[in-house]
Amino acid sequence: MHRCLRILDVILQIVHWIDDDRSLTRLARVCKLFQDPALDALYEEIDDFSNLVQCLPESALPVEPRGYWGFQRELGPNDWEILSEYTSRVRSLHVLGDEWYLHASGRYQNVLSSRCICRALSEKTICPGTLFPKLQMLRLSRPDSVVLSMVRSMLLGSRLLHLHLLHPCGAFPEFYQEFPKLAEHYPFLETLVIDLGHKDYLSQTLPDELDVEPTPELVVCVCQLKHLRVVDVGTVNHRMLERFATLTRFDQLTILLLSDHFTWLSVEASCYRIPPSLILEADAYGVASQALRRLTNSASSHVQRNIPLPHLHRLRLNVTWPYSPGSRMSEFSSALAHCVSSQYLTDISIENPCAGLTEEEHLHWSPVNYEDLMPFTRFGNLTRLSLEYTQTPILAGAREALLDLLPHWPCLEMLCINPFVLNVTMLIDVLRILPRLSEFLIKINMETNEPDSILHNSKYLDLPTNYRITHLQLDDTLLPSFFLLRQLLPNLKQCILKLLMTALDSNCIQK
């Protein structure tokens, strides 16, 4: 073997560029020098416990004698040592815990083996140390009481940085009991995501008996963690927000906002500190606007006290009920323009994932118009703007108004508007206004006689050329403008080729 291949840094570089599990397995068998780096990469991310138990002796492998999986015999010290040889390499672990849910998705055997191993791990005393000493990310999806045992300190090392607990299944008491222990077992947690399923009520009526306020156990947990950077735990209260204001490295906060089901907006407290990235998941624009003003302690108080406006960099709003009576985007966009510094905000994303409106709901529909978007023009340093709605019309009947808005955002690199359609003429104007554009997620079509009007218009003798954009939403109306598109967007070859192939296939079918 060449001496260069004995250098660890060279071996690590080779392993880094291999993204195929089969190739990593073969590389681990080359020699001892390659074995550990290859196995570390192979077991770095595990999405299924069944991959781990395959390393056990055949006499200890799980079987399915009565419709459920179980080990053929009790695992002894040697078995745990073999298993630890591989689990000690895992840095990211995802455990799926609901058998019925995953039985429907075709992963029944893998799920049962995961639960079986979780139960075995929780009932055994593993010495010395932990089974996953290098684990940095743990994701438990639909966990029950058995899967929740994975958060025990004897299994996971103190290096755990990212914890996701999603949709517990009938294990709420055990779920809450684990919260106070997190700060003690994993003091360096940076990411905490806990989804109790309350987000499902953003698009439906909240039952009277359901309390969506954060539990005392969760509040204690959050207030004890000193290194949090990303938090998404549903609803919050004033005590949690005051705690977030003391965290020096706090980067991102996600807040669930259900109308008339929170108290922190009315609590007199000190000024909260808004993180660089804020995600609001609300059922209406009004409650999102109210929350934004409260988080920033209102724009008027900043003016009176000469306090700088919050340095928000990224804002995302998921609003599930934008067509409620009297609810308009302008209410939120105006609040944002008055409460946040225009110098730092570079990313605005507003989404509406709600679909399937009834005829009665259509009557209360509030489209997004020019006045709704105008307050955003205050943010001249925007690099990303995304407006993605399911059915709400955007600039309906006035799409030319987009050309009046775009000059206010000369630094835009990503623009997404849906539902919205541009013709090729407007596409040319957009490319002229936004030379830095690299992601353009707007549907383009060709109007009748538009190619001729472009060719005979002196305004379009000098066409802009954008080498950054590599993808567009095209349809067959653009076939007559094939050469024009190639001139405007030279790197759009794959999209144009796909469009041509689709057109040829449809012609063949018609013949």
Side-chain angles (χ1 to χ4, degrees):
M1 182 183 293
H2 197 281
R3 284 183 294 177
C4 289
L5 295 179
R6 299 179 182 271
I7 302 174
L8 180 59
D9 289 341
V10 174
I11 297 175
L12 292 176
Q13 282 295 320
I14 295 174
V15 172
H16 174 74
W17 289 103
I18 299 177
D19 56 1
D20 176 36
D21 288 351
R22 181 173 297 181
S23 299
L24 286 173
T25 303
R26 292 172 178 172
L27 185 63
R29 297 168 181 163
V30 171
C31 67
K32 290 185 178 180
L33 286 175
F34 284 88
Q35 182 177 359
D36 282 337
L39 289 179
D40 287 342
L42 185 63
Y43 287 94
E44 182 177 7
E45 297 183 13
I46 297 297
D47 290 330
D48 197 326
F49 261 145
S50 62
N51 294 331
L52 290 174
V53 299
Q54 299 301 321
C55 63
L56 291 173
E58 186 175 355
S59 61
L61 289 177
V63 294
E64 189 183 5
R66 299 183 182 88
Y68 62 89
W69 279 44
F71 290 105
Q72 297 184 47
R73 59 172 172 80
E74 286 293 322
L75 298 184
N78 292 336
D79 299 323
W80 288 113
E81 184 177 349
I82 294 173
L83 190 60
S84 299
E85 171 67 21
Y86 298 94
T87 58
S88 61
R89 306 175 188 274
V90 178
R91 296 179 182 271
S92 176
L93 179 63
H94 184 196
V95 182
L96 303 167
D98 184 356
E99 302 132 350
W100 179 87
Y101 171 78
L102 290 151
H103 176 54
S105 65
R107 301 185 64 180
Y108 184 65
Q109 292 181 341
N110 292 344
V111 171
L112 288 182
S113 66
S114 297
R115 294 190 74 254
C116 179
I117 296 172
C118 286
R119 183 178 296 279
L121 294 177
S122 65
E123 294 176 350
K124 296 288 184 180
T125 301
I126 304 170
C127 294
T130 61
L131 196 63
F132 296 91
K134 297 181 181 179
L135 192 69
Q136 295 183 356
M137 173 177 284
L138 175 64
R139 184 183 182 92
L140 303 181
S141 298
R142 305 182 68 85
D144 58 7
S145 57
V146 173
V147 176
L148 276 176
S149 63
M150 283 301 302
V151 299
R152 294 175 58 187
S153 61
M154 59 180 285
L155 303 178
L156 311 180
S158 59
R159 296 188 185 183
L160 190 67
L161 300 178
H162 313 285
L163 178 61
H164 299 248
L165 303 176
L166 311 175
H167 296 278
C169 301
F172 282 98
E174 295 88 347
F175 205 70
Y176 296 142
Q177 291 172 9
E178 297 296 338
F179 290 159
K181 305 174 186 176
L182 294 181
E184 178 184 353
H185 294 164
Y186 317 114
F188 301 106
L189 270 183
E190 296 181 357
T191 301
L192 181 62
V193 178
I194 300 176
D195 187 354
L196 298 177
H198 294 159
K199 295 179 182 180
D200 298 338
Y201 294 102
L202 282 171
S203 57
Q204 54 184 293
T205 304
L206 187 70
D208 295 335
E209 67 276 7
L210 182 63
D211 185 9
V212 297
E213 291 290 332
T215 64
E217 296 88 351
L218 177 59
V219 176
V220 171
C221 167
V222 170
C223 292
Q224 289 178 344
L225 293 168
K226 301 179 181 179
H227 301 277
L228 284 177
R229 303 185 65 175
V230 178
V231 175
D232 178 3
V233 294
T235 56
V236 298
N237 62 15
H238 68 282
R239 185 181 170 192
M240 297 167 68
L241 291 171
E242 289 175 347
R243 175 59 178 168
F244 296 152
T246 65
L247 301 176
T248 57
R249 302 175 63 197
F250 196 50
D251 289 335
Q252 178 176 307
L253 174 62
T254 301
I255 301 179
L256 176 64
L257 299 165
L258 297 170
S259 298
D260 303 324
H261 287 87
F262 45 84
T263 59
W264 61 272
L265 290 180
S266 58
V267 174
E268 292 294 333
S270 58
C271 182
Y272 302 133
R273 185 175 72 87
I274 196 168
S277 180
L278 179 64
I279 302 175
L280 300 177
E281 298 182 323
D283 53 3
Y285 292 121
V287 64
S289 306
Q290 187 181 359
L292 185 63
R293 293 184 184 277
R294 183 65 188 88
L295 286 170
T296 58
N297 210 28
S298 80
S300 58
S301 64
H302 286 280
V303 175
Q304 294 171 2
R305 303 176 189 177
N306 294 322
I307 299 176
L309 291 175
H311 296 173
L312 183 65
H313 294 256
R314 297 171 296 278
L315 173 74
R316 179 177 176 181
L317 171 63
N318 292 343
V319 55
T320 59
W321 207 255
Y323 39 81
S324 59
S327 180
R328 298 197 63 88
M329 184 199 282
S330 58
E331 185 176 0
F332 179 78
S333 58
S334 298
L336 182 66
H338 285 88
C339 298
V340 175
S341 172
S342 60
Q343 182 178 357
Y344 297 94
L345 189 61
T346 60
D347 187 343
I348 296 178
S349 175
I350 301 180
E351 298 181 4
N352 163 233
C354 191
L357 301 180
T358 64
E359 291 296 330
E360 183 179 354
E361 290 167 339
H362 272 289
L363 299 177
H364 302 295
W365 219 343
S366 297
V368 177
N369 54 33
Y370 180 83
E371 288 72 22
D372 296 320
L373 300 177
M374 190 61 191
F376 292 149
T377 59
R378 183 173 180 270
F379 305 103
N381 292 326
L382 277 185
T383 58
R384 300 177 67 87
L385 177 61
S386 175
L387 305 172
E388 223 171 336
Y389 286 72
T390 305
Q391 293 176 301
T392 304
I394 300 177
L395 297 176
R399 62 181 182 180
E400 291 78 10
L402 178 65
L403 300 180
D404 297 330
L405 295 169
L406 293 182
H408 296 278
W409 309 308
C411 302
L412 270 187
E413 299 176 3
M414 191 281 282
L415 179 61
C416 173
I417 304 178
N418 182 52
F420 195 74
V421 180
L422 285 181
N423 56 27
V424 177
T425 303
M426 292 188 66
L427 172 63
I428 296 174
D429 294 331
V430 170
L431 295 179
R432 283 176 172 168
I433 297 172
L434 304 175
R436 300 185 183 182
L437 204 61
S438 58
E439 294 182 66
F440 190 63
L441 305 178
I442 298 178
K443 187 175 181 181
I444 308 296
N445 67 6
M446 174 71 73
E447 297 180 353
T448 306
N449 300 325
E450 192 176 13
D452 293 336
S453 62
I454 293 175
L455 291 175
H456 294 89
N457 191 334
S458 59
K459 177 183 176 181
Y460 301 108
L461 289 178
D462 184 17
L463 295 175
T465 301
N466 185 305
Y467 292 94
R468 300 169 179 261
I469 298 176
T470 59
H471 178 77
L472 273 184
Q473 297 183 31
L474 308 175
D475 58 27
D476 54 7
T477 63
L478 289 166
L479 283 175
S481 60
F482 169 74
F483 294 102
L484 178 61
L485 285 175
R486 287 195 60 182
Q487 183 175 350
L488 293 172
L489 306 165
N491 291 332
L492 207 64
K493 298 176 183 177
Q494 293 297 328
C495 288
I496 296 176
L497 180 61
K498 184 178 180 180
L499 179 64
L500 290 173
M501 295 301 295
T502 303
L504 290 173
D505 291 342
S506 61
N507 289 335
C508 293
I509 293 174
Q510 290 176 2
K511 292 180 180 180

